[in-house]
Amino acid sequence: MADPNKVDPIHQFAITDIFSIGGEGAGFNIAFTNSSLFMVITVLAISSFLILSTSGRGLVPGRLQLLSEMLYEFVANMVRSSAGTEGMKFFPFVFSLFMFVLVANLLGMVPYFFTVTSHIIVTFALAMLVITVVLVYGFMKNGLGFLKLFVPAGVPGYVLPIVIPIEIVSFLSRPISLSVRLFANMLAGHITLKVFAGFIVTLSSFGFVGWLGAILPFSMTVALTALEFLVSALQAYVFAVLTSMYLNDAIHPSH
Amino acid sequence: MASNTTTSNDTHATEDTHATTEAHGGNGGHSDVFPPFDPASFGSQLLWLALSFAALYILMSKIALPRIGEILEVRRDRIEGDLAEAERLRQKTDQAIEAYETDLANAKQKAHTIAEETREAIRKDLDAKRADVETDLAKKMATAESRIQSTKTEALGHVEEIASDTAHAMVTNLLGRTAQKATKDAVAKVVKG
């Protein structure tokens, strides 16, 4: 049972309690898990980096301040280009989402670290948050005019009975696609990495030939690690871009 | 659950994995379900996600982003200000260059005029002096010429007398006697003829 060569690629996603507030006796039980810990670490890392690096308020930025400014301008340009100037009121929201997903993804790449975004409930909650903001703001700003979102302009009347259900289904599938895309990417990436890294351990236990054979999965692991870093950043970008585009729908519902 | 709190989160400690799984299974909370789909952890994750994301949003929207925005704003203003100042200074420079060139052209013009005037004045002066000298010379020449003329006339007037005297002397020497009247008439005849 305690086979040292047995690698369990799923174990990295296990949630373990670090401590819990309350308990069975108190009538409530709030567990602080490794997932919670890494959420807190993510938030602390983002906040402390952005706040400390800009504390000098240098007119000529240092390296760290420049990085903060580049992140700011990157997300600001993204929001402005997809949702227009009016969408800039959602800039802090999109920025927080982007940074949270990005840093959570990147922290997950550190060995032994837990990947917050590899849990569907987290990505789904973020996606639902986005859709809720879109819905609430869309109805607040446009009233029932927001429903025009489902009626594409310039479509002849007799096609509408087909188009409207399609639009509604596509709208409803947004939180699912948004959350599953991120979750599946992170989950699959980490499992693949773990499996290939596991091959190295398994093969190297077969002696010298095994060591030679382990070169292949080792190079795969190196390549996959690079790929995963790319995916981490890319998925955060995709998440933020789609959020901006959905927010654009809330601001300008008629296409 | 107490035993789980001390369980290592070490992904490579596979022995622990099984221990944890069993312990979880024993407590009924975390069974053999694939962890990301385990509903038992959803509540805790949602709660902490909400708390941490709310904290992040507040920190971003209240502190970090306004600060970075302000830094960028200040920099943009500064750059624009500096560019405007540079533009102003450039225009000033252009004006200065233009003024300098105008002055230079004026000065050149003036210098030219002065030179021209001076040259003209000198030329006039020279001309006047030359004219004076020339008239003076002409006058002197005329005087000289008239004197020569008068001398010549005067000399010519004495020719007959000298000739008759000479002839008289010759005749006296040759003939031993004087025939002054005849000699004089003969000379006058020759001179007139």
Side-chain angles (χ1 to χ4, degrees):
Chain A
M1 178 172 166
D3 178 5
N5 293 323
K6 168 126 175 49
V7 178
D8 177 9
I10 304 302
H11 173 69
Q12 58 179 320
F13 303 112
I15 301 269
T16 50
D17 292 359
I18 295 172
F19 63 83
S20 36
I21 306 158
E24 266 92 307
F28 67 100
N29 186 9
I30 299 167
F32 189 83
T33 61
N34 51 353
S35 168
S36 323
L37 175 68
F38 277 96
M39 289 175 192
V40 172
I41 290 176
T42 303
V43 171
L44 285 180
I46 299 167
S47 309
S48 53
F49 175 73
L50 287 177
I51 290 171
L52 291 180
S53 69
T54 56
S55 60
R57 295 164 192 264
L59 193 62
V60 179
R63 279 177 219 176
L64 295 180
Q65 189 186 325
L66 189 65
L67 185 58
S68 295
E69 288 171 10
M70 280 163 74
L71 287 166
Y72 179 99
E73 299 225 294
F74 176 67
V75 180
N77 288 337
M78 174 163 70
V79 175
R80 207 177 285 125
S81 63
S82 349
T85 318
E86 220 181 323
M88 284 308 279
K89 67 178 74 162
F90 293 107
F91 170 60
F93 176 60
V94 179
F95 187 83
S96 304
L97 272 177
F98 174 73
M99 289 306 289
F100 187 82
V101 174
L102 177 71
V103 175
N105 287 353
L106 290 177
L107 276 177
M109 287 306 296
V110 180
Y112 301 107
F113 276 28
F114 182 82
T115 316
V116 175
T117 42
S118 67
H119 276 246
I120 181 78
I121 187 68
V122 173
T123 60
F124 188 69
L126 291 176
M128 280 314 289
L129 178 64
V130 170
I131 298 302
T132 310
V133 168
V134 168
L135 282 175
V136 169
Y137 184 78
F139 278 117
M140 254 173 54
K141 181 169 179 289
N142 307 296
L144 287 178
F146 182 57
L147 294 174
K148 271 192 288 186
L149 178 64
F150 304 116
V151 189
V155 171
Y158 56 89
V159 198
L160 284 180
I162 309 163
V163 170
I164 291 175
I166 293 175
E167 288 284 334
I168 291 174
V169 167
S170 92
F171 185 83
L172 291 179
S173 65
R174 278 175 181 183
I176 300 166
S177 66
L178 195 58
S179 57
V180 168
R181 183 182 303 112
L182 175 58
F183 152 73
N185 266 291
M186 298 320 292
L187 183 83
H190 280 77
I191 290 178
T192 321
L193 258 185
K194 187 80 178 192
V195 167
F196 275 100
F199 284 157
I200 305 173
V201 181
T202 315
L203 280 172
S204 56
S205 67
F206 295 142
F208 183 69
V209 183
W211 275 92
L212 283 181
I215 292 171
L216 191 64
F218 179 74
S219 44
M220 274 303 285
T221 310
V222 171
L224 277 172
T225 307
L227 180 71
E228 277 310 297
F229 274 109
L230 177 71
V231 167
S232 297
L234 201 64
Q235 286 305 318
Y237 173 70
V238 168
F239 200 94
V241 163
L242 287 174
T243 302
S244 317
M245 286 168 66
Y246 297 162
L247 287 169
N248 183 45
D249 283 346
I251 300 163
H252 316 103
S254 42
H255 329 219
Chain B
M1 293 297 259
S3 65
N4 297 340
T5 54
T6 54
T7 308
S8 161
N9 185 29
D10 186 341
T11 41
H12 279 234
T14 37
E15 294 97 324
D16 283 354
T17 315
H18 299 282
T20 316
T21 317
E22 278 173 1
H24 278 232
N27 281 313
H30 305 255
S31 51
D32 292 332
V33 185
F34 182 52
F37 294 137
D38 183 2
S41 69
F42 285 4
S44 154
Q45 292 205 65
L46 283 176
L47 174 71
W48 289 106
L49 176 67
L51 287 176
S52 51
F53 191 76
L56 178 68
Y57 181 76
I58 290 165
L59 284 169
M60 291 299 105
S61 60
K62 297 288 174 221
I63 304 175
L65 296 180
R67 188 187 283 180
I68 301 176
E70 188 196 310
I71 291 171
L72 295 174
E73 188 75 22
V74 166
R75 181 174 310 144
R76 192 166 51 234
D77 286 355
R78 174 73 184 268
I79 289 172
E80 275 171 6
D82 283 2
L83 283 177
E85 175 73 7
E87 177 64 21
R88 197 182 63 77
L89 288 175
R90 199 181 62 77
Q91 279 179 358
K92 219 169 149 186
T93 314
D94 284 355
Q95 280 173 2
I97 290 174
E98 208 171 308
Y100 163 75
E101 274 172 359
T102 326
D103 282 357
L104 187 66
N106 284 343
K108 269 183 182 166
Q109 186 67 39
K110 215 167 156 186
H112 187 70
T113 321
I114 288 171
E116 198 62 35
E117 276 170 0
T118 314
R119 199 180 295 133
E120 190 68 22
I122 290 172
R123 200 170 58 78
K124 269 183 189 161
D125 193 33
L126 272 177
D127 283 356
K129 277 181 178 161
R130 194 192 292 134
D132 277 359
V133 170
E134 274 171 1
T135 45
D136 195 33
L137 280 176
K139 216 185 278 172
K140 277 180 180 166
M141 245 156 84
T143 328
E145 267 171 10
S146 62
R147 207 166 61 220
I148 290 169
Q149 194 64 41
S150 62
T151 312
K152 197 173 154 191
T153 326
E154 200 184 293
L156 280 176
H158 291 297
V159 166
E160 194 176 336
E161 193 183 332
I162 293 166
S164 69
D165 283 353
T166 313
H168 177 69
M170 281 161 65
V171 167
T172 309
N173 284 341
L174 287 172
L175 299 181
R177 61 167 176 115
T178 46
Q180 200 166 0
K181 175 102 169 73
T183 315
K184 204 174 179 175
D185 292 344
V187 169
K189 208 177 165 185
V190 171
V191 170
K192 278 171 185 155

